[in-house]
Amino acid sequence: MTLGATALCTTVVIEENEVTSSANVYPNPAKKFISTTFKININVYTTIYSADGKVAYKSMGIIKPQIDISKLPAGLYLFEIKSRDGNILQQNKLIKD
């Protein structure tokens, strides 16, 4: 009995993201509003996740220069911007006072 050998070849493709702009989220910590700077004029998903992974805020469209977070409870959040095809363009930790 002869055991055969199997060769496994995997190709990994890393695509450069077309979006080279970055977003800054400030102030951090924040109480009522956060401001974002995002130097691109495309529709994106803007989401804020609570520490337990629940969606606390979500919008789709051109980035708003200010986001009202006054109704969110104090705590740690994840601010995320994704392209329409799901690529993560920016992630920031956010502290709500």
Side-chain angles (χ1 to χ4, degrees):
M1 177 184 239
T2 306
L3 295 176
T6 303
L8 177 62
C9 183
T10 304
T11 302
V12 176
V13 177
I14 300 173
E15 295 181 20
E16 293 260 345
N17 197 337
E18 292 180 20
V19 180
T20 57
S21 301
S22 64
N24 295 314
V25 179
Y26 61 91
N28 196 4
K31 291 185 181 199
K32 295 182 181 182
F33 293 93
I34 56 171
S35 296
T36 63
T37 58
F38 200 76
K39 304 203 185 328
I40 193 156
N41 194 18
I42 62 170
N43 289 330
V44 294
Y45 294 101
T46 303
T47 311
I48 298 175
Y49 297 97
S50 62
D52 60 359
K54 294 180 182 174
V55 174
Y57 170 88
K58 186 167 190 159
S59 74
M60 197 284 197
I62 303 298
I63 297 276
K64 296 176 183 177
Q66 272 196 337
I67 297 172
D68 183 356
I69 62 166
S70 61
K71 295 182 180 167
L72 297 180
L76 179 64
Y77 293 86
L78 176 70
F79 174 83
E80 182 178 78
I81 299 171
K82 282 187 182 180
S83 65
R84 289 177 58 193
D85 59 0
N87 290 324
I88 296 172
L89 305 176
Q90 186 71 33
Q91 283 186 331
N92 300 92
K93 291 179 186 174
L94 172 65
I95 299 171
K96 167 63 166 66
D97 279 340

